[in-house]
Amino acid sequence: MRRLLLILALFTLIVIIGIPVGIIYFTAPFEMEERVKISPGTTELRVLIRETGQVEVMDLEEYLVGTVAAEMPALFELEALKAQAVAARTYALKRKDLALNQNNPH
């Protein structure tokens, strides 16, 4: 009886965990892995400066400092500032990815 319960428990684990992990592992697009790897100083953005109408090329990290400073006071909680930086980074990289996919340099 114990052996049957052990086999049933292992089979359940394989079905619940193993099959979904295997599906995700073998069907995930490989190019997504390359797109996620970002290191400081390697990602540049083209940013429109509204006051001058000029387009500037700047590093992603430099862009994030300016964006977070413009959107939130420095006196906010550190975790809120971190969350804003994550949101700004996600937005910037998504816009860059969309522009690259549409062959649009801006």
Side-chain angles (χ1 to χ4, degrees), residues 4-91:
L4 181 62
L5 287 175
L6 181 62
I7 292 172
L8 186 60
L10 286 174
F11 179 75
T12 305
L13 280 175
I14 290 171
V15 169
I16 292 174
I17 297 172
I19 291 176
V21 168
I23 290 171
I24 291 171
Y25 180 77
F26 289 110
T27 61
F30 292 107
E31 66 272 1
M32 292 297 287
E33 294 176 14
E34 293 299 318
R35 204 179 307 159
V36 175
K37 295 178 183 176
I38 299 169
S39 56
T42 60
T43 304
E44 292 183 339
L45 302 173
R46 294 172 51 100
V47 180
L48 173 67
I49 309 299
R50 290 187 185 188
E51 292 82 22
T52 63
Q54 299 285 342
V55 175
E56 260 187 52
V57 176
M58 64 176 61
D59 184 59
L60 176 63
E61 303 304 319
E62 179 185 354
Y63 168 80
L64 289 176
V65 169
T67 301
V68 173
E71 293 179 355
M72 298 179 75
L75 298 175
F76 274 35
E77 291 291 327
L78 181 60
E79 294 302 315
L81 294 168
K82 288 179 185 178
Q84 185 62 36
V86 169
R89 177 187 297 259
T90 302
Y91 176 78

